[in-house]
């Protein structure tokens, strides 16, 4: 070939780049599996409101991450065999996977803004569905009970949410309890320390911070995993594909 | 009305003493301590009447073990209604809680018992340092501590009551107007688009532009490859000057074309067939490459 040495040099760079890309793609797949598993069990908050595309982005990323891995292995093969047809196949398939991964990143980050950009959506959902009947109501109630118990918080921005707004909970129990008993501190045997003081709002017997910070940080963590890491992988793949195109041209 | 006989010296003087309710210069207020539920839409937490009625010289109900402290809750016209009623006996029956706020013509005040005067000593003892109006919820007994109408503006007054005939013996001042929370409708929360964060703008714009760039470059590359690339391969005329040995029927051996004997490899793109010249078309002599 005319520039044999240049071709060999580019081939080596391409092979190394594809090895790194395969590792990155596999890591993306693993990270997306972590998001889809949802260890904090906050899916109902996004699912009931219909804004659950952070998890849709995670599912897409599982497949595109694995596809990146496979295609990069194929790319190593195509570069080593110096075959034009294989390189063209590699380029076109990588482009298709690139498009899907772009979609995953953008979807995840946009829906995070919808969901936890401010506390309104979470608050409205809590007031409407906590202690309500039906499937949505029971899922939201269980999720909030878990969050209030583990994070030691009450309400979205604070217990004052329960006082300021009408809610399904208030309509059922509002004559007696200003807020759910899960806002109260409990002893190790799960008994409430002091129900009367909790109803009065004494801050030694109840949780006074809001739960929104925790919910927002969990969803942000999931989103940064999918969208920012996906973004990094895509930036790397962009330059890899440019190199592959140059290699194809000089083959 | 209390009838007293006091004997002064020789002449009996009978005084009909109708003691007016003794005013006390305190007024109830919302408990200032940091209780999160001190003001809700249907209940209030007030300061207790701990030092209100202590230094009074009340002749009828003069023992802290007998006098009872009650709270009067009044809304709108209830203030004037109570003031008109307060000198009557059996004040606790005049406006029971279930009917107090039920219609436009009801009295709009009710009384509820806190306890005996001795239960609220001065200075304040922990455990009695607050009083929650509305702690009985939505109750139906005549003098229960029921919840107030949602979002109403109420005034409160502590009164000392003689349990014998339920008359008001002493009273505090009316509190200021205390407005309860009006309940807001959760549908009024606007959960529309919460705004764009910076990361969303960065990711979307950069990814979209890079994708467009990639597509463009791929397209340009494909067009270049299909139209404008010059062929760099050598012209090959495969095997047109070779001699072929005829197939020998008498010697049934596997056919070997001796023209290919000195070329053990198949021709490929990188090692195309090179033209060779056999002098005199004699395969036994060595060939020279053209």
């Amino acid at each position: 070939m005319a520039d044999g040495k240049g071709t060999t040099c580019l081939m080596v760079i391409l092979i190394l780049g594809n090895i790194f890309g395969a590792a990155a793609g596999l890591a993306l797949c693993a990270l997306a599996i972590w998001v889809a598993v949802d260890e904090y069990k906050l899916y109902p908050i996004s699912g009931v409101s219909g804004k659950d595309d952070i998890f849709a982005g995670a599912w897409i990323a599982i497949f595109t991450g694995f596809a990146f891995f496979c295609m990069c292995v194929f790319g190593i093969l195509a570069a080593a065999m110096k075959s034009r047809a294989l390189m063209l196949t590699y380029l076109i398939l990588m482009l298709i996977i690139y498009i899907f991964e772009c979609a995953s990143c953008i979807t995840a980050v946009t829906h995070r803004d919808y969901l936890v950009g401010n506390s309104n959506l979470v608050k409205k959902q809590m007031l409407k569905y906590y202690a309500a009947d039906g499937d949505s109501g029971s899922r939201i109630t269980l999720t909030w009970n878990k969050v209030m118990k583990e994070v030691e918080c009450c309400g979205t921005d604070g217990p004052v949410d329960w006082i300021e707004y009408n809610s399904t909970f208030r309509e059922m129990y509002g004559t007696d309890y200003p807020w759910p008993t899960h806002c109260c501190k409990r002893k190790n045997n799960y008994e409430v320390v002091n129900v009367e003081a909790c109803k009065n709002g004494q801050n030694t017997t109840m949780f006074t911070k809001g739960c929104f910070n925790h919910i927002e940080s969990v969803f942000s963590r999931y989103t940064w995993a999918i969208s920012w890491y996906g973004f990094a992988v895509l930036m790397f793949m962009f330059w890899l594909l440019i190199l592959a195109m140059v290699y194809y041209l000089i083959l | 009305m209390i009838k007293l006989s006091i004997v002064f010296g020789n002449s009996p003087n009978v005084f009909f003493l109708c003691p007016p309710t003794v005013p006390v210069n305190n007024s109830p207020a919302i408990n200032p301590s940091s209780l999160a539920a001190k003001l809700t839409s249907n209940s209030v937490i007030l300061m207790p009447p701990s030092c209100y009625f202590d230094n009074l010289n009340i002749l009828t109900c003069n023992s802290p073990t007998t006098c009872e402290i009650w709270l009067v809750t009044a809304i709108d016209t209830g203030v004037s209604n109570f003031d008109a009623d307060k000198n009557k006996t059996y004040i606790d029956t005049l406006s029971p809680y279930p009917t107090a706020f039920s219609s436009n013509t009801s009295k709009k005040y009710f009384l509820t018992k806190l306890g005996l005067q001795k239960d609220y000593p001065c200075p304040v003892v922990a455990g009695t340092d607050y009083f929650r109006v509305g702690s009985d919820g939505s109750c139906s007994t005549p003098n229960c501590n029921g919840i107030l109408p949602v979002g109403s503006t109420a005034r409160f007054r502590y009164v000392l009551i003689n349990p014998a005939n339920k008359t008001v013996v002493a009273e505090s001042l009316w509190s200021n107007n205390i407005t309860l929370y009006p309940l807001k409708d959760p549908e009024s929360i606007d959960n529309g688009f919460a705004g764009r964060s910076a990361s969303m703008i960065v990711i979307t714009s950069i990814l979209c532009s890079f994708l467009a760039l990639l597509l463009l470059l791929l397209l340009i590359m494909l067009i270049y490859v299909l139209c404008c690339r010059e062929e760099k391969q050598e012209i090959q005329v495969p095997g047109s000057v070779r001699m072929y040995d005829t197939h020998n029927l008498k010697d049934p051996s596997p056919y070997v074309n001796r023209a290919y004997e000195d070329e053990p490899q198949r021709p490929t793109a990188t090692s195309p067939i090179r033209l060779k010249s056999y002098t005199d078309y004699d395969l036994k002599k060595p060939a020279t490459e053209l």
Side-chain angles (χ1 to χ4, degrees):
Chain A
M1 297 303 315
D3 37 338
K5 246 189 169 175
T7 312
T8 314
C9 176
L10 197 54
M11 180 186 85
V12 168
I13 293 176
L14 215 52
I15 289 177
L16 287 175
N18 272 316
I19 291 173
F20 189 75
L26 206 57
L28 179 66
C29 180
L31 204 56
I33 290 176
W34 171 73
V35 174
V37 161
D38 187 23
E39 65 166 312
Y40 293 99
K41 302 278 182 291
L42 287 185
Y43 177 79
I45 291 181
S46 63
V48 164
S49 65
K51 305 264 185 292
D52 62 347
D53 281 351
I54 298 176
F55 297 95
W59 279 102
I60 298 176
I62 293 178
F63 292 113
T64 56
F66 189 68
F68 269 139
F69 170 73
C70 293
M71 283 313 299
C72 285
V73 170
F74 176 74
I76 294 172
L77 205 72
M81 286 175 59
K82 295 194 179 180
S83 156
R84 269 212 198 133
L86 290 182
M87 280 307 291
L88 191 62
T89 314
Y90 169 77
L91 281 170
I92 291 178
L93 286 180
M94 280 292 265
L95 186 72
I96 294 173
I97 301 170
Y98 194 95
I99 294 174
F100 276 104
E101 180 57 31
C102 274
S104 158
C105 295
I106 294 176
T107 304
V109 78
T110 314
H111 277 260
R112 178 221 164 254
D113 280 353
Y114 276 133
L115 201 54
V116 291
N118 58 22
S119 61
N120 286 350
L121 189 140
V122 174
K123 190 190 297 195
K124 188 168 180 176
Q125 189 189 68
M126 174 189 84
L127 293 169
K128 192 168 164 200
Y129 286 105
Y130 188 88
D133 285 327
D135 179 50
S136 304
S138 69
R139 288 163 74 199
I140 293 284
T141 308
L142 286 172
T143 306
W144 272 95
N145 285 345
K146 181 174 186 292
V147 169
M148 287 196 280
K149 185 178 74 153
E150 287 181 2
V151 181
E152 295 185 353
C153 58
C154 181
T156 306
D157 292 323
V160 75
D161 291 338
W162 294 109
I163 298 177
E164 273 186 345
Y165 289 92
N166 197 5
S167 59
T168 311
F169 172 80
R170 165 167 284 280
E171 280 168 20
M172 292 174 77
Y173 306 106
T175 54
D176 198 13
Y177 290 94
W179 36 66
T181 50
H182 285 85
C183 289
C184 307
K185 287 189 182 165
R186 290 169 186 262
K187 300 187 268 209
N188 284 336
N189 63 356
Y190 204 60
E191 222 179 276
V192 179
V193 172
N194 189 340
V195 182
E196 210 51 52
C198 181
K199 281 200 237 176
N200 287 340
Q202 209 156 359
N203 56 8
T204 50
T205 57
M206 68 173 286
F207 309 126
T208 49
K209 71 177 183 192
C211 297
F212 182 69
N213 270 341
H214 168 79
I215 293 173
E216 190 259 337
S217 76
V218 166
F219 280 122
S220 292
R221 215 173 294 174
Y222 289 162
T223 306
W224 301 157
I226 299 297
S227 62
W228 277 115
Y229 182 64
F231 178 80
V233 169
L234 286 175
M235 288 298 104
F236 176 76
M237 292 299 175
F238 177 78
W239 296 110
L240 194 66
L241 290 175
I242 299 284
L243 275 176
M245 282 189 220
V246 171
Y247 186 68
Y248 178 75
L249 282 176
I250 66 173
L251 257 188
Chain B
M1 295 257 306
I2 311 284
K3 194 171 155 190
L4 280 179
S5 274
I6 300 178
V7 179
F8 270 130
N10 296 328
S11 57
N13 291 324
V14 177
F15 291 90
F16 284 120
L17 206 62
C18 180
T21 47
V22 177
V24 164
N25 200 14
N26 303 62
S27 68
I30 300 181
N31 199 314
S33 57
S34 63
L35 297 171
K38 58 187 176 188
L39 191 68
T40 71
S41 59
N42 56 13
S43 70
V44 189
I45 300 184
L46 299 172
M47 294 282 284
S50 296
C51 301
Y52 283 27
F53 304 111
D54 271 9
N55 296 322
L56 298 176
N57 226 349
I58 307 225
L59 302 172
T60 53
C61 149
N62 60 354
S63 151
T65 52
T66 47
C67 299
E68 297 173 341
I69 302 187
W70 288 55
L71 175 77
V72 182
T73 309
I75 293 175
D76 293 339
T77 55
V79 175
S80 45
N81 287 344
F82 176 77
D83 284 338
D85 286 348
K86 67 185 175 187
N87 290 321
K88 301 179 187 165
T89 55
Y90 296 103
I91 185 100
D92 58 335
T93 55
L94 295 178
S95 176
Y97 171 74
T99 60
F101 308 110
S102 49
S103 71
N104 274 340
T105 53
S106 49
K107 296 225 173 181
K108 295 204 193 308
Y109 73 87
F110 70 96
L111 282 86
T112 186
K113 181 176 166 183
L114 269 76
L116 298 175
Q117 194 185 349
K118 69 175 174 67
D119 294 329
Y120 292 90
C122 188
V124 175
V125 162
T128 60
D129 53 353
Y130 66 91
F131 178 68
R132 183 159 177 243
V133 182
S135 60
D136 284 344
S138 192
C139 53
S140 53
T141 53
N143 298 104
C144 60
N145 189 0
I147 49 174
L148 307 174
V150 167
S152 48
T153 305
R155 300 181 80 179
F156 302 93
R157 186 174 223 183
Y158 286 115
V159 291
L160 201 62
I161 292 223
N162 182 357
N165 52 4
K166 296 279 193 275
T167 50
V168 176
V169 171
E171 63 187 5
S172 71
L173 301 172
W174 280 110
S175 68
N176 293 328
N177 275 329
I178 294 176
T179 310
L180 302 173
Y181 274 98
L183 274 186
K184 291 191 243 181
D185 184 12
E187 299 298 324
S188 68
I189 303 176
D190 176 24
N191 64 340
F193 193 44
R196 301 168 184 83
S197 64
S199 47
M200 177 252 183
I201 293 177
V202 164
I203 289 177
T204 310
S205 55
I206 294 182
L207 282 184
C208 287
S209 49
F210 272 47
L211 181 64
L213 206 61
L214 205 61
L215 270 170
L216 198 66
L217 287 174
L218 194 70
L219 220 60
I220 292 174
M221 183 195 79
L222 283 174
I223 293 173
Y224 175 76
V225 163
L226 289 173
C227 310
C228 316
R229 184 199 279 262
E230 294 167 6
E231 292 297 316
K232 287 190 270 182
Q233 293 99 332
E234 296 168 28
I235 301 170
Q236 302 171 37
V237 183
S240 57
V241 292
R242 295 188 192 279
M243 281 177 54
Y244 290 95
D245 217 352
T246 53
H247 188 80
N248 195 342
L249 287 170
K250 295 178 194 154
D251 190 8
S253 59
Y255 175 74
V256 174
N257 190 336
R258 287 168 50 213
Y260 289 85
E261 271 178 4
D262 53 347
E263 285 172 339
Q265 300 160 339
R266 301 180 73 78
T268 64
T270 49
S271 59
I273 299 170
R274 304 273 182 236
L275 291 179
K276 297 177 187 168
S277 163
Y278 291 90
T279 48
D280 302 329
Y281 300 102
D282 189 352
L283 293 174
K284 296 190 186 59
K285 293 188 183 156
T288 54
E289 284 204 17
L290 285 176

